[in-house]
Amino acid sequence: MPVVSTSGEKDKAEQVSQWWQEVEQRSIELSLDFEYVIETDITDCYGSIHTHSIAWALHTKETAKKDRDCKNLIGNLIDEHIKDMRHGQTNGIPQGSVLMDFVVEMVLGLGDQGLSKKIGKAQIKDYCIIRYRDDYRIFLNNPPDGDLIMKLLTETTSDLSLRLNAAKTKMSSDVVRSSIKSDKRAWMGREQLEGTLQQRLLIIHDHAEQFPNGGSLMAPLGHFRDSLLNEKQIDEDPRPLIAIVTDIAYRNPRTYAVCAAILSALLDRIDTDDKKAAIVKKIRKRFLKIPNTGLMLIWPQRVTYPFDKTISYEDSICQLVAGEPADLWNSNWICAKDLKKALDPKEIVNMEKLASSGPIISAEEIELFNFYEGR
C-alpha cells in the first residue's frame, strides 16, 4: 500500500524502503520456493485507468453501473473530482501523489481479486504473485502454469481497460538475479567486496553467473563466512541472505561445503528452531529437484542436527546419522566376519563427535574437504 513518511524522510524515501523490503527482499526469499519468475507491468497505468473503475472497486461493478448517478456512492464522488481535475476526461488520473497512488491501489486491488478467482478456477496452486503498483512478479515452478497465469492476467487487466506491456514481459530461471534490477546489479559490481552483506553476496552471485562452478568462487565465499562470524550482530534480515547463498550452492556444486558453513552461521541468527527448520525444509526441497544431491543433503543435516535431530533426509549417509538402518554398499559376498564388521556402514559415523557439534560449521570441518582452494 502507498505510505506516508512519519519521520524526517520524504514520502519517496519511505516508498523506496518499502519496495526494497516487500518486493526486492521478498523476491529473493522466494527463490527458495520457486524456479522461475515472470516480470511484467501495465502500459501507461496511471494514464489508462478508467475513472469509473474506482466505483467498481469500491461498490462492485454491478452496483456502480446501476447507481451511476448516485451522489451517495463515494466511488462516484471520487470519479467526479478526478474528472474535474482532468477537464472532464474519463481516462487517466494524475500521477505523483500518495493520494493518487492509493486510488490506483484500489483499482488494481479489484484486479487482484479477479485474478485470484480465475487462478483458483484453473486449479493452479504452486505459484506466488507480488504486485507493486503496476509491476507484477509471478513466481512458479511449472512454466506452462506461468503461460496460463499470464493469459488470465491479460484478461483481468483488459476488464479494467488496461493492458500489459509485452515488450517488458519476460520469464527467467534465475530468480535471485531477476529480483534485483540490472542497473542496480551493475552498480554494486563496481563496489568489489565492500558494502552490506547482501551487496557482497550479490557480487559473488554475479561472479558465479559469469564463471559457473569456478574455483575463484571459493575465496570470496570463505572470506564472507569469516567476516560473518566476526560480526556479533547484523542489522540485515538473514532470510534473503540465506536465499542468495542457497542459490549459489544450487548452481555451483563445488561450493556446497562453504555455502553450508555460511548457512549455518545465518541460521544461527534466526530466533527460533521452528523457523530454522522451516527454512531448511525449503532448502532441502529445492535441492531434491536435481539428481545426485546426496553430498548437499549431508551439509544441511550437519546444520540442522544440533537443534533438531528429527528432520529426515533421503540420502543413505544422512539416515545413518539419524540412527536409521541404511546400506551404503553390498557386502553380502564377504565371508570373513572381521572384514564384514569393519565394513559395517554404522561405523563410519562418529556419534561422539556428532554429539559435540555446535550449530555453526567450523572452518576446520570445511577444510577437511579441501574446498578452500585459491584462498
Side-chain angles (χ1 to χ4, degrees), residues 47 90 149 185 229-230 236 296-297 311 333:
T90 58
I149 290 176
R185 289 201 311 269
L229 291 180
N230 289 331
E236 300 174 59
M296 185 57 204
L297 293 177
I311 298 177
W333 57 276

Side-chain angles (χ1 to χ4, degrees), residues 8 99 117 168 175 223 255 276 359 368:
L99 178 59
K117 290 179 181 178
K168 290 187 177 181
V175 178
H223 290 310
T255 68
K276 293 178 186 178
L368 284 174

Side-chain angles (χ1 to χ4, degrees), residues 5 25 52 54 69 95 131 155 172 191 212 248 278 315 338 357 361 364 367:
S5 175
Q25 300 300 291
H52 293 336
I54 300 168
D69 298 321
Q95 189 171 353
R131 178 181 61 76
E155 294 173 357
S172 173
E191 299 297 317
I248 292 172
D315 186 78
D338 290 343
S357 299
I361 298 174
E364 289 75 16
E367 288 165 355

Side-chain angles (χ1 to χ4, degrees), residues 106-365:
M106 290 191 291
V107 175
L108 295 183
L110 176 63
D112 294 344
Q113 292 178 342
L115 179 61
S116 295
K117 290 179 181 178
K118 291 179 179 180
I119 292 175
K121 288 182 180 178
Q123 297 185 335
I124 302 173
K125 297 180 180 179
D126 190 20
Y127 75 97
C128 181
I129 299 177
I130 292 178
R131 178 181 61 76
Y132 188 89
R133 303 290 188 273
D134 55 350
D135 290 323
Y136 291 83
R137 294 185 180 188
I138 303 166
F139 300 85
L140 48 118
N141 288 309
N142 184 21
D145 286 347
D147 294 336
L148 180 52
I149 290 176
M150 282 300 299
K151 176 179 178 293
L152 298 176
L153 178 58
T154 300
E155 294 173 357
T156 301
T157 51
S158 179
D159 290 342
L160 296 172
S161 302
L162 303 170
R163 60 188 179 88
L164 298 179
N165 190 337
K168 290 187 177 181
T169 299
K170 59 183 179 180
M171 177 184 283
S172 173
S173 60
D174 191 337
V175 178
V176 169
R177 283 176 62 83
S178 297
S179 298
I180 310 296
K181 291 185 176 181
S182 58
D183 57 340
K184 186 174 181 180
R185 289 201 311 269
W187 173 252
M188 288 191 298
R190 300 172 186 268
E191 299 297 317
Q192 300 301 317
L193 291 180
E194 300 298 326
T196 66
L197 292 173
Q198 185 172 134
Q199 287 174 334
R200 294 166 60 186
L201 273 181
L202 287 170
I203 292 168
I204 298 172
H205 186 279
D206 190 66
H207 184 73
E209 179 70 18
Q210 297 179 52
F211 306 97
N213 213 34
S216 58
L217 286 170
M218 308 312 298
L221 285 170
H223 290 310
F224 180 86
R225 175 197 171 277
D226 293 343
S227 63
L228 181 61
L229 291 180
N230 289 331
E231 296 283 345
K232 293 183 178 179
Q233 182 176 342
I234 61 174
D235 296 327
E236 300 174 59
D237 186 345
R239 290 171 299 179
L241 304 180
I242 289 169
I244 298 171
V245 175
T246 299
D247 196 67
I248 292 172
Y250 181 83
R251 299 170 188 275
N252 303 274
R254 76 188 305 161
T255 68
Y256 284 173
V258 65
C259 283
I262 294 171
L263 289 173
S264 71
L266 290 171
L267 283 167
D268 194 54
R269 313 280 179 142
I270 302 295
D271 54 3
T272 69
D273 288 348
D274 288 343
K275 291 179 182 178
K276 293 178 186 178
I279 292 172
V280 171
K281 184 178 180 180
K282 293 181 179 182
I283 296 172
R284 182 188 60 176
K285 182 180 178 182
R286 184 164 190 209
F287 277 89
L288 288 175
K289 296 177 182 177
I290 56 177
N292 304 318
T293 56
L295 175 61
M296 185 57 204
L297 293 177
I298 292 171
W299 289 105
Q301 186 183 42
R302 166 62 186 88
V303 173
T304 60
Y305 191 86
F307 67 85
D308 192 342
K309 299 175 177 58
T310 64
I311 298 177
S312 61
Y313 295 86
E314 290 73 11
D315 186 78
S316 298
I317 292 179
C318 294
Q319 292 171 357
L320 289 172
V321 170
E324 302 171 7
D327 291 326
L328 298 182
W329 45 72
N330 180 9
S331 58
N332 293 332
W333 57 276
I334 300 176
C335 298
K337 292 183 179 179
D338 290 343
L339 180 57
K340 201 165 188 175
K341 183 179 179 181
L343 292 175
D344 186 349
K346 290 184 292 185
E347 297 300 318
I348 71 169
V349 180
N350 187 328
M351 299 306 295
E352 183 178 341
K353 191 78 172 177
L354 186 64
S356 64
S357 299
I360 299 177
I361 298 174
S362 66
E364 289 75 16
E365 291 179 73

Side-chain angles (χ1 to χ4, degrees), residues 48-52 68 79 83 86 88-93:
S48 302
I49 283 184
H50 200 293
T51 56
H52 293 336
R68 185 171 180 175
D79 180 3
K83 283 192 293 185
R86 296 180 60 81
Q89 294 183 35
T90 58
N91 277 350
I93 69 172

